[in-house]
């Protein structure tokens, strides 16, 4: 994959389906993803990268040959947190680290985004449901930074995956200098279907005070990874005040499990629930839940287009967040299922930190069950 650089690329996200539950045909979803492809940014080609680059704060990182799969990145950084705020059934943590390189995804293309001159921080809000601890992948935060009554920066961070942090929202932010800023994080209505005990307010706003100095940013931990470029993943970061980002283990999913396969480097598990009343069906229906996840750390893969073929009939799967199943894609069916073919038509439209940017682009299918 060629690392085409883009400091301020085009559209923020692949164009989402028109309604909040993403009940759209796969054909429409494919067209929408194509419309949101990163304008002017080239996609995948060679994976051979052996030059040495200078990162933020003068840190040097040697790039490596990358497999088209999840791999150990070149480095790992620590982070700081401005606190946790709660409102309307949601909690939000405002975290930050040094400016980071990451990759933007549009359709089947990935493009490298490097820190720009003036970027002071990589800011990462994490939002979750208070009652269940479920991290939320569908709330699209907007950030505003205020200094002495004046707005100095506004930002719509990208939905993003990182090996140590899991799913979060993040972006590099240009600020005048170190100091104390009043930060507002505003989240909108859910974009995915919510089921179970999850809160679903139309909006929520969190207020933080973010204080930092150049010396404090320079002191954030940074270590190089000896196994960089090998297949594998870093262990998740321990975050005492933030719930973990992993999905339920496959053997802990409720229902009758149909098995686990792979599409590209993604693990894809499917389970069948006998009662579909919590998902818009009735007691005589069944609910097919498909749980795609990253290997090694079991992080969710949101903003993708999945379908299922059952007994010769194609079904679109609806992106859903459920208290018991976590993030998944599902459909109500009117009969029992023993065998299903799961197809990925649109790769996960989430930005990626190093180690994930070459994975999860294969559009293929896998058959599960007997």
């Amino acid at each position: 994959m060629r690392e085409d650089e883009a400091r301020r690329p085009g559209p923020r996200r692949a164009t989402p389906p028109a309604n909040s539950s993403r009940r759209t045909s796969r054909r429409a979803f494919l067209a929408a993803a194509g419309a949101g492809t990163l304008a002017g940014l080239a996609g995948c080609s060679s994976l051979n990268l052996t030059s040495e680059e200078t990162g933020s704060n003068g840190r040097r990182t040697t790039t490596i040959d990358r497999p088209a799969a999840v791999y150990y990145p070149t480095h790992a950084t620590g982070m700081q947190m401005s606190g946790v705020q709660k409102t309307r059934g949601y909690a939000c943590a405002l975290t930050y680290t040094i400016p980071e390189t990451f990759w933007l995804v549009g359709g089947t293309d990935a493009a490298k985004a490097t820190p720009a001159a003036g970027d002071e921080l990589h800011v990462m809000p994490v939002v979750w449901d208070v009652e269940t601890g479920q991290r939320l992948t569908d709330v699209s935060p907007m950030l505003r930074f205020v200094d002495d009554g004046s707005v100095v920066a506004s930002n719509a961070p990208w939905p993003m995956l990182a090996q140590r942090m899991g799913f979060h929202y993040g972006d590099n932010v240009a600020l005048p200098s170190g100091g104390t800023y009043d930060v507002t994080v505003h989240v909108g209505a859910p974009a995915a279907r919510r089921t179970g005990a999850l809160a679903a307010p139309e909006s929520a706003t969190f207020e933080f005070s973010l204080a930092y100095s150049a010396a404090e940013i320079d002191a954030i931990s940074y270590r190089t990874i000896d196994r960089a470029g090998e297949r594998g993943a870093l262990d998740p970061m321990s975050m005492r005040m933030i719930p973990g980002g992993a999905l339920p283990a496959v053997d802990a999913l409720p229902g009758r499990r149909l098995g686990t396969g792979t599409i590209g480097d993604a693990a894809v598990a499917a389970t069948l629930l006998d009662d579909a009343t919590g998902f818009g069906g009735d007691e005589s229906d069944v609910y097919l839940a498909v749980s795609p996840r990253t290997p090694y750390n079991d992080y969710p893969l949101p903003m993708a287009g999945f379908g299922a073929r059952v007994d010769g009939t194609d079904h679109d799967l609806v992106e859903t967040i459920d208290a018991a199943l976590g993030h998944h894609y599902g459909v109500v069916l009117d009969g029992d299922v023993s065998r299903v073919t799961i197809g990925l038509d649109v790769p996960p439209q989430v930005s990626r930190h190093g180690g994930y940017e070459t994975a999860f682009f294969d559009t293929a299918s896998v058959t599960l069950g007997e």
Side-chain angles (χ1 to χ4, degrees):
M1 179 172 291
R2 188 170 65 246
E3 292 187 310
D4 296 284
E5 296 190 0
R7 291 189 172 181
R8 288 292 180 264
R12 274 284 171 186
R13 294 171 178 82
T15 305
N19 59 42
S20 62
S21 66
R22 299 187 183 179
R23 294 178 183 273
T24 182
S25 70
R26 285 186 281 162
R27 182 185 300 274
F29 200 166
L30 279 165
T37 299
L38 300 173
L41 302 179
C44 298
S45 57
S46 172
L47 300 183
N48 296 320
L49 300 163
T50 55
S51 63
E52 192 172 74
E53 299 177 344
T54 301
S56 61
N57 299 323
R59 295 178 170 103
R60 300 188 70 83
T61 299
T62 301
T63 58
I64 35 77
D65 291 346
R66 304 171 299 160
V70 176
Y71 68 91
Y72 286 103
T74 58
H75 66 280
T77 58
M79 72 175 192
Q80 298 292 330
M81 183 165 61
S82 292
V84 174
Q85 300 294 332
K86 299 178 181 179
T87 186
R88 308 194 70 182
Y90 284 175
C92 178
L94 184 65
T95 70
Y96 60 94
T97 187
I98 62 174
E100 287 276 11
T101 294
F102 54 91
W103 281 259
L104 305 173
V105 173
T108 56
D109 293 338
K112 185 180 179 184
T114 57
D119 284 345
E120 288 273 303
L121 306 172
H122 185 78
V123 178
M124 303 169 290
V126 181
V127 183
W128 66 93
D129 178 80
V130 172
E131 181 176 344
T132 65
Q134 173 71 51
R135 284 205 204 178
L136 302 176
T137 58
D138 65 336
V139 291
S140 300
M142 296 289 295
L143 276 62
R144 185 179 65 177
F145 298 79
V146 175
D147 180 23
D148 196 24
S150 298
V151 177
V152 295
S154 295
N155 182 274
W158 305 88
M160 192 168 289
L161 276 177
Q163 289 184 5
R164 300 188 69 214
M165 196 171 182
F167 180 88
H168 61 285
Y169 293 88
D171 200 2
N172 298 323
V173 177
L175 294 170
S177 64
T180 300
Y181 297 89
D182 296 322
V183 183
T184 299
V185 180
H186 179 82
V187 301
R193 179 174 61 180
R194 300 280 180 87
T195 54
L198 294 172
E202 287 299 309
S203 64
T205 300
F206 308 90
E207 303 287 348
F208 296 91
S209 178
L210 187 157
Y212 75 94
S213 67
E216 289 170 333
I217 299 304
D218 287 341
I220 290 176
S221 65
Y222 180 101
R223 62 184 174 91
T224 56
I225 306 301
D226 292 338
R227 298 180 64 185
E230 297 179 17
R231 290 196 177 205
L234 300 173
D235 290 335
M237 183 185 301
S238 176
M239 295 178 283
R240 183 171 53 87
M241 299 178 67
I242 302 175
L247 291 167
V250 171
D251 59 7
L253 291 172
R256 175 165 58 87
R257 292 180 291 278
L258 299 178
T260 303
T262 58
I263 296 179
D265 210 29
V268 180
T271 188
L272 200 67
L273 279 66
D274 290 334
D275 185 352
T277 54
F279 304 92
D282 57 40
E283 293 181 356
S284 63
D285 295 327
V286 297
Y287 183 71
L288 173 67
V290 174
S291 178
R293 56 192 61 209
T294 67
Y296 313 110
N297 290 338
D298 285 332
Y299 295 142
L301 294 172
M303 299 174 64
F306 279 92
R309 171 164 285 197
V310 180
D311 294 331
T313 301
D314 290 332
H315 302 270
D316 297 321
L317 301 184
V318 178
E319 186 169 6
T320 305
I321 305 176
D322 178 74
L325 291 163
H327 178 277
H328 69 282
Y329 301 82
V331 65
V332 173
L333 301 170
D334 60 5
D336 194 17
V337 175
S338 59
R339 186 177 177 88
V340 58
T341 297
I342 307 299
L344 173 63
D345 296 318
V346 180
Q349 299 295 291
V350 289
S351 301
R352 293 95 179 276
H353 284 277
Y356 282 145
E357 81 280 7
T358 58
F360 317 128
F361 284 102
D362 291 341
T363 52
S365 62
V366 62
T367 298
L368 304 175
E370 299 177 352

